Amino acid sequence: GIALMQFDLDLNPIDTIVIPEDPEEREGFELRNEDSHLMAGIPFQPGFRWRLAPDGTLWGMLDEHYRFFQLTPEGDTLLSFTREFEPLPVTEADMDQAREDLEWFLQYGGNVDWSKIPDHKPATEDFFFDDEGNIWVIPVTTAEQDWQVVEVFDPEGRYLGRIDLPFRLTRPYPLIRNSVMYAVVEDEMEVPYVVRARIEKPF
């Protein structure tokens, strides 16, 4: 497994945190020959993500179920919650984009089983934390939507509400301090720039 190590200011190790692993096996498109080994992800296949929270606990998210769980640094489960959602279908436009994204793999001689692409998209895309430990979840939305929907939960997993940001987020995901968001976004020409936005929360 993979672990995070914490060091003091003199670079002496003081703690080790075991990273949670995906509880489900994921498929991929694979190309093996004498000279190389290439892997390509299956478009719209759900996955697993983890983040280190401000309080030192670890959170995992299963995309297909909109399911979260909180773990201690030792790996013990503290909390788990899910949220209902309506899965979005994979459209023909989505398939066109998938074919374009996998063109590199085909050019190397890889084979793609298009039947393995799911009929529906995962529930969530990613998540991050603010300085109060609230969980900001990015649900999967349609590609035509030019604003960002974010759903917010408190550290106990209670749903706080939805925020419609007037821009779409790109990685790295925002830094939120004292109700101010610092985020990297892209304009129509895909040029990145930094925005500073004040968050007025009704909760």
Side-chain angles (χ1 to χ4, degrees), residues 114-135:
W114 300 104
S115 68
K116 290 185 178 295
I117 296 181
D119 294 329
H120 290 84
K121 301 176 185 179
T124 54
E125 181 178 313
D126 214 328
F127 71 105
F128 56 93
F129 296 93
D130 62 21
D131 55 342
E132 298 176 357
N134 296 313
I135 310 161

Side-chain angles (χ1 to χ4, degrees), residues 103-147:
E103 183 62 31
W104 69 271
F105 185 71
L106 296 171
Q107 289 181 355
Y108 276 103
N111 292 316
V112 172
D113 183 353
W114 300 104
S115 68
K116 290 185 178 295
I117 296 181
D119 294 329
H120 290 84
K121 301 176 185 179
T124 54
E125 181 178 313
D126 214 328
F127 71 105
F128 56 93
F129 296 93
D130 62 21
D131 55 342
E132 298 176 357
N134 296 313
I135 310 161
W136 292 59
V137 182
I138 303 176
V140 172
T141 56
T142 60
E144 296 79 15
Q145 188 171 302
D146 58 2
W147 72 92

Side-chain angles (χ1 to χ4, degrees), residues 175-194:
L175 176 69
I176 301 176
R177 295 290 184 271
N178 299 319
S179 296
V180 176
M181 174 184 290
Y182 304 89
V184 177
V185 302
E186 293 181 349
D187 62 15
E188 296 82 359
M189 303 298 293
E190 298 185 351
V191 176
Y193 62 98
V194 176

Side-chain angles (χ1 to χ4, degrees), residues 22-24 26 46-48 61-69 80-87 121-124:
D22 191 341
E24 302 186 23
R26 311 289 177 181
F48 169 77
M61 178 184 75
L62 290 167
D63 292 347
E64 67 265 53
H65 304 304
Y66 207 133
R67 175 171 173 250
F68 286 84
F69 54 88
S80 177
F81 71 89
T82 59
R83 176 168 169 78
E84 293 185 1
F85 68 98
E86 187 70 33
K121 301 176 185 179
T124 54

